[in-house]
Amino acid sequence: MVEASHLLAVGLAAGAALSSASSNLCVRRGTDSGTTKDAIFVVSVVNVAVLLPVAAVRYYPNYGLTGVSFVSFAVAGILGTLIGRALNFVSIEKIGASRTAPIVASWALISTVLGVVFLGETLSIVHGVGIVLVVVGVAVIAWLTSNHNPEGLSRRELLVGLLVPFGAAVAVGWEPIFANVGFAEGTPPLVGLAVKSVAATLGFGLYLRWDDDLPGRSVLRGTNARWFVLAGLLNTAFLLGYYVALSIAPVNVVSPIVVTNTLFVVVLAALIMTERLERVTWGLFTAAGVVVAGVLLITAFG
């Protein structure tokens, strides 16, 4: 019999997946006239502006932080929220959200395997079949992307463009492992999220300052700024659902559900985005469906 906490985690993870997909499409719209740097900065600031005050008030004065959990959530922020987000947004700008999402979805495979190796979670034969389906679906997405090259990119540029979302997958795949270490210390999910978001924002801010490229007030002007703020709010909703789900269910249950944002991205891109920004084909639909089928297999036997 499935535990009630696992059912709640599935619902939260599904909501997080929809929020994540919507956020990615907002980033795509915003970077059409804005920059990836501004998108990362605004989304990160919105995360902190929402999560930090809520966590500070809700858990005052005992935040449940230990040295281990603080470091764990900070590392999760640098890997998943800063590096993973930066590579994800760059990829969205270069090859589109509907092609980026399925490739980045391979982070669930990475986190599932890492969960088995470092957290003692189980991996069955059915999990293996699901993983194979996800890998095949992602490979087809990469092949379709390489054959749809309207901007006439060189082979090297195209290869780099495809490697960027894989890099994001590796960075994001490590995040739930460190998050679970923090949860094991008894730190509440909201507090962990706040630490993670602050670490990522500070890290990116220090990078921009070192590069002498801190954005001014102009970053909040124009249509693209509104898309970035909306992306930030949706991303915050994603983080909340994702982290609460991780705190009550294993990585190999939560991670595959969140990966269904792949299908949400493809469907929403086909429905609301112009072909100039997102070219969604039947082949892409089919490949995304294969990815989701693998995710469902992994989840059903999690």
Side-chain angles (χ1 to χ4, degrees), residues 57 62 74 156-157 183 241 302:
V57 172
N62 181 18
R156 181 178 179 278
E157 291 171 324
F183 292 141

Side-chain angles (χ1 to χ4, degrees), residues 18 26 43 55 70 236:
L18 179 58
C26 287
V43 170
F70 180 84
T236 303

Side-chain angles (χ1 to χ4, degrees), residues 220-247:
L220 295 177
R221 298 171 187 164
T223 304
N224 57 299
R226 293 195 291 271
W227 286 114
F228 293 156
V229 171
L230 180 57
L233 293 173
L234 288 166
N235 182 261
T236 303
F238 154 69
L239 290 172
L240 281 169
Y242 176 40
Y243 260 53
V244 173
L246 275 178
S247 70

Side-chain angles (χ1 to χ4, degrees), residues 265-282:
V265 167
V266 174
V267 172
L268 291 175
L271 292 175
I272 65 177
M273 303 290 280
T274 63
E275 188 171 348
R276 180 177 64 83
L277 293 176
E278 296 287 336
R279 186 173 181 269
V280 180
T281 64
W282 282 110

Side-chain angles (χ1 to χ4, degrees), residues 89-136:
F89 284 8
V90 168
S91 181
I92 288 173
E93 183 180 18
K94 286 182 175 297
I95 65 175
S98 59
R99 283 165 169 73
T100 293
I103 297 175
V104 176
S106 59
W107 72 266
L109 307 184
I110 296 169
S111 65
T112 298
V113 173
L114 291 174
V116 172
V117 174
F118 294 101
L119 303 180
E121 297 179 353
T122 59
L123 190 65
S124 67
I125 294 177
V126 178
H127 276 116
V129 174
I131 288 173
V132 169
L133 289 176
V134 174
V135 170
V136 169

